[in-house]
Amino acid sequence: MGDKTRGSSGHDPLLGKTFADRYRVERRLGQGGMGVVYAARQLSMDRVVALKVLSAELGASDAARARFVREMRATSKVEHANTVRVYDFGEDGEGHLFLTMELLDGRSLQQELSQRGAFETGRVLRIGESIARALAAAHGEGIVHRDLKPENVMLVDRYGERDGVKVLDFGIARILDGDTSDAVTRTGSLIGTPLYMAPEAALGKKVDHRADLYALGVVLYQMVSGRVPFSDAMPVRVLFMHANDTVPPLAEVAPGRASPPLEALILGLLAKSPDDRPQSATEVASVLRALSDAPTVEGLDADAVSRLAGDEAAMAKARALHADPALAVGTVRDEDAVRTPPVT
C-alpha cells in the first residue's frame, strides 16, 4: 500500500482518519496481497463496515480503474445468504480504489483448519454445500471467483447456528488480470493461489466457472484430510503437480474419513480437464445435500449416486486422468517447472 497505509515507523496513517469523506477508520483488521482491510464507521448510516483499500498498483491506470468499476458493479448484483454483501465501492481523492462490505464477526475457514485439522464428515458436507451455493449464485451472474481458498471463506455463528458460511472477494482476482483470462499476467504475477489453482489456470489457459469447482474440490479435500493434495515450498512446483500429478487418494491420506461417494465427488472436482468435472456448482451443492441427508452410505439412494457420478463416461475418463498422469492436460509452461521433476 505504500505511504498511504503504513508510515516509516510502522504506524498506519489512515487510523482515526476519515476516508473518502464518508468512512472513519477505526481499526486495522488485516492485510493481504490485494490491499488492507479496516473496520470503519460509515458516517451517513452510523454503522461499522469492512473497508478494503486496494493496493495502489491495482488502480495505476485508467483501464484498471474502469475494470474495477465494471467488476464491482457485477459483483454487487450477487445477493445470496452465503456471499458477503458489497455496500459501496469507488476511489478516494488520492486515487486509491476501495470497497466496503458487511463486517463479519467470525473466523476464516483457514483459521479453523489450522487450529483443528480435519473436520468430521457432517461439517465438511454442510460447509461445502454452502460454498457451492455461493459459487452458484456468482456463476449465475457470470462471475468467476478465481481465487477460492479457505482464507476467502468466513465462518460465522449467528442466531444459535454454527458455521454460517460467507464467501469473500468475488471479482477481486479478475481486477488484476486485465482483459485476459490467463493465470499469469504480463508482469508474471499469478492470478489465484497455487495451492488451489486449477490445471488450466496453472497452464496459463483460459478459465471459466469450472476452475472454481476445482478449487472447491481442493477445499473439500483439505477439510476431509487436514492437508491439500499438492504442496511444495516452490509455487511453480505446485502448479506442475496440479497439471500433471495424480491426486493422493483420500483412502490412503485420511483412511475412513470420506465415504466412497464423497471421495468420488472430490475426485471428480479434481479432474485435470474441466470437461471431466461436475459442470455446475448447483449440481455439486445438490450432491452434498444428498450426502448430508443420507443417514448412512447404504441409505444413499441410487438416484443420488447417479447424480454424484454424473455422466459415467466422463467420470471414467476423469478417473483415468488421475490413474495415469501421462493423460494429464499438459505441463506448466515455465522453463523452471519443466526442468523440475514432480515431487515423489
Side-chain angles (χ1 to χ4, degrees):
M1 294 298 297
D3 293 339
K4 177 72 176 176
T5 59
R6 174 77 60 184
S8 59
S9 65
H11 172 69
D12 190 326
L14 281 185
L15 293 177
K17 305 294 185 180
T18 298
F19 181 85
D21 296 325
R22 53 191 184 274
Y23 298 102
R24 186 170 67 245
V25 180
E26 297 187 343
R27 66 185 189 278
R28 185 180 179 124
L29 299 177
Q31 180 172 5
M34 296 184 185
V36 183
V37 182
Y38 303 90
R41 187 167 297 276
Q42 184 178 3
L43 300 177
S44 62
M45 302 285 290
D46 193 28
R47 67 177 172 187
V48 179
V49 300
L51 166 68
K52 174 171 281 191
V53 183
L54 300 187
S55 300
E57 55 267 26
L58 297 186
S61 68
D62 290 341
R65 290 191 292 274
R67 189 164 59 248
F68 169 77
V69 171
R70 184 170 65 248
E71 293 300 321
M72 287 301 99
R73 281 179 176 166
T75 300
S76 65
K77 295 178 182 178
V78 180
E79 294 187 4
H80 190 272
N82 298 123
T83 62
V84 173
R85 185 177 178 185
V86 175
Y87 293 136
D88 187 18
F89 61 87
E91 62 180 289
D92 72 348
E94 298 182 29
H96 285 81
L97 303 176
F98 73 91
L99 64 150
T100 60
M101 305 161 285
E102 59 179 315
L103 182 64
L104 302 174
D105 182 13
R107 67 276 185 211
S108 73
L109 178 57
Q110 182 58 53
Q111 290 172 319
E112 195 76 353
L113 284 165
S114 297
Q115 293 174 5
R116 299 180 181 273
F119 293 173
E120 52 89 14
T121 299
R123 196 178 187 199
V124 171
L125 297 174
R126 290 192 303 273
I127 293 173
E129 181 189 350
S130 294
I131 296 172
R133 295 201 182 283
L135 291 176
H139 295 168
E141 296 290 342
I143 296 170
V144 179
H145 194 293
R146 306 193 70 198
D147 195 22
L148 179 68
K149 56 188 176 182
E151 291 93 333
N152 283 334
V153 177
M154 290 291 292
L155 302 178
V156 182
D157 297 338
R158 285 182 173 176
Y159 311 116
E161 295 186 4
R162 185 186 183 204
D163 289 339
V165 168
K166 293 282 190 176
V167 180
L168 314 176
D169 283 353
F170 282 103
I172 296 295
R174 179 71 174 147
I175 294 166
L176 288 172
D177 196 23
D179 292 324
T180 71
S181 295
D182 296 342
V184 181
T185 67
R186 293 185 181 88
T187 59
S189 59
L190 289 170
I191 304 302
T193 303
L195 291 175
Y196 303 89
M197 190 174 287
E200 61 270 27
L203 294 168
K205 298 184 177 185
K206 290 186 180 298
V207 303
D208 60 21
H209 66 281
R210 295 170 297 180
D212 285 348
L213 300 184
Y214 184 93
L216 175 57
V218 179
V219 173
L220 289 170
Y221 187 105
Q222 186 176 4
M223 286 194 289
V224 167
S225 67
R227 53 162 281 186
V228 292
F230 303 119
S231 63
D232 191 273
M234 295 178 59
V236 73
R237 291 171 70 98
V238 178
L239 299 180
F240 184 99
M241 289 186 276
H242 279 299
N244 294 280
D245 284 11
T246 302
V247 174
L250 281 169
E252 297 177 10
V253 172
R257 297 199 65 87
S259 66
L262 177 57
E263 182 163 18
L265 174 63
I266 295 173
L267 178 68
L269 290 167
L270 295 178
K272 302 298 186 187
S273 170
D275 291 339
D276 295 326
R277 297 171 204 150
Q279 296 298 291
S280 76
T282 299
E283 174 190 352
V284 175
S286 296
V287 171
L288 290 167
R289 167 57 60 180
L291 292 173
S292 293
D293 289 344
T296 65
V297 173
E298 292 74 17
L300 189 62
D301 63 71
D303 288 341
V305 174
S306 177
R307 289 196 302 273
L308 171 65
D311 180 79
E312 290 188 7
M315 279 298 294
K317 183 178 179 183
R319 288 187 174 115
L321 287 173
H322 287 285
D324 184 0
L327 297 177
V329 294
T331 185
V332 176
R333 304 189 188 284
D334 181 289
E335 60 180 12
D336 290 331
V338 173
R339 287 200 302 265
T340 305
V343 176
T344 58

